[in-house]
Amino acid sequence: MIKKTRAEITKCILHKVANKYNSGQNVFSEELIRFDAETYDLMKNFLLKPFGNLTQSYRFSHHADVRLNEMNNYASEIFTNEESFIEFSKNIVNHLYEQSNSAQIKTGDVIVVFIEGLEYKDVLTEAVGVFKIENKVDFFQTYLDDNESWDVVVQQGISTKKIDKGCLILNTTDTEGTVVFSVDNNNYDAQYWIKNFLGVKLADDYNSHTQNYLELCSSFSEEVIKPEFGKHEQGNFLANTVDYFKEHESVDYHNFKDEIFEEEKHKDLFEDYKKHYETLNDVLIRNNFDVSGVVLKKEKSRLKTEIKLDTNISIKLDVDAPDAASEYLERGYDEEKKMKYYKVYFNEEK
């Protein structure tokens, strides 16, 4: 997690990135942006606010040698020689352009900044920030017309509510490499920003271990439990998984299986799927790790526990109440109507 209390944007430039697939052309600025006080404060908050609560970080990677990672090299050059900032900001945009290999990759504004005074793990450091603005919003601009009357016109601009994509590359390393933070609020192509442009992977810590395991469980529930046992059992499994993580400070793979699954065949299904999932996604799921409460809170909101029926009725199960579905929800078949049904028990409506 980073702190921005003493952070200052000392260099900022804006370029336009096109789409290679559509034969577009990048447009570059030659001068840094000069802010007035009000614009600077708004820009600083706009760019840095999304990173204030991030706990998960990334490290640069490369299939041959991390020193061949483009973004790692560009950031290193800027940290070594700040005078090269404009030159390498253009290289960053050109590298981003090279990743636009499909029509769905959006063009946009690219803001590159140099930041001093960011605090990471109680140490002040520098950072290179890269932000891509993909979506503009409409707003009314008022103006005085030729008849000395006020009128309005619709214009497009950048919303200050959230950035579309952004990263902070810190001038800080650990045993795994350079520390990188990233956000992506328009992840229509998960490979484009994280893998292709940045070339990063999650740091090997308890935050990523927790996320990887919960994503495994979510995928297992969707691909194995739901088609074989139904959405009711899928909801039970997810709720019990969340409950296990809440009740244990650390996860032990074998203990997890014993507590979640009653039958050996279900344990075998999970073990086989884990091996398949690791191979398919090129990820290592740790058998023992400490639980990250922050990641658990974020990931559990993404778990699908809603039963949607073809009669336009939905039943939403509370993932924080693992016993509710088994105690108060029954599934059956009505011979007279030739239809399946759910019976829900409750004391009063809320």
Side-chain angles (χ1 to χ4, degrees), residues 27 47 146 181 190 215 224 235 245 328-329:
V27 181
L47 298 181
D146 295 337
F181 288 92
E215 288 178 349
V224 178
F245 273 70
Y328 307 123
L329 191 65

Side-chain angles (χ1 to χ4, degrees), residues 211-321:
Q211 177 169 327
N212 289 339
Y213 203 96
L214 289 173
E215 288 178 349
L216 161 70
C217 292
S218 177
S219 184
F220 176 72
S221 76
E222 190 69 22
E223 296 185 11
V224 178
I225 295 182
K226 186 173 77 171
E228 292 197 25
F229 306 104
K231 290 187 177 181
H232 186 186
E233 287 303 317
Q234 180 188 25
N236 281 340
F237 169 74
L238 292 175
N240 287 329
T241 296
V242 169
D243 191 55
Y244 180 93
F245 273 70
K246 288 166 59 179
E247 295 296 325
H248 294 77
E249 293 184 355
S250 61
V251 169
D252 177 83
Y253 173 65
H254 299 290
N255 177 260
F256 174 84
K257 288 195 302 178
D258 290 339
E259 286 201 22
I260 299 298
F261 304 107
E262 294 182 0
E263 300 184 34
E264 287 298 323
K265 64 178 182 179
H266 294 159
K267 297 178 185 178
D268 293 338
L269 278 175
F270 185 71
E271 186 160 348
D272 291 341
Y273 185 82
K274 178 176 177 287
K275 295 175 183 177
H276 164 76
Y277 182 88
E278 289 177 317
T279 302
L280 182 65
N281 295 279
D282 190 25
V283 62
L284 175 64
I285 306 296
R286 300 287 182 181
N287 288 337
N288 297 277
F289 58 89
D290 293 332
V291 173
S292 167
V294 174
V295 174
L296 174 62
K297 183 178 180 180
K298 182 185 72 172
E299 289 299 313
K300 76 177 183 181
S301 64
R302 301 179 181 178
L303 299 178
K304 298 178 180 179
T305 58
E306 187 175 16
I307 302 174
K308 294 184 178 180
L309 309 177
D310 57 6
T311 51
N312 298 319
I313 295 175
S314 296
I315 302 172
K316 188 172 183 180
L317 306 176
D318 188 347
V319 75
D320 284 317

Side-chain angles (χ1 to χ4, degrees), residues 77-114:
E77 290 290 345
I78 293 173
F79 290 137
T80 302
N81 178 17
E82 287 187 41
E83 298 304 315
S84 67
F85 175 80
I86 294 179
E87 174 191 352
F88 282 98
S89 73
K90 294 178 182 179
N91 292 344
I92 288 170
V93 173
N94 283 329
H95 174 57
L96 182 61
Y97 173 82
E98 289 300 322
Q99 314 314 315
S100 56
N101 295 316
S102 72
Q104 73 179 115
I105 303 298
K106 298 178 181 178
T107 61
D109 299 328
V110 178
I111 300 172
V112 185
V113 299
F114 188 84

Side-chain angles (χ1 to χ4, degrees), residues 179-193:
V179 179
V180 181
F181 288 92
S182 177
V183 294
D184 187 353
N185 289 312
N186 291 337
N187 51 355
Y188 52 85
D189 186 342
Q191 303 298 310
Y192 165 62
W193 184 257

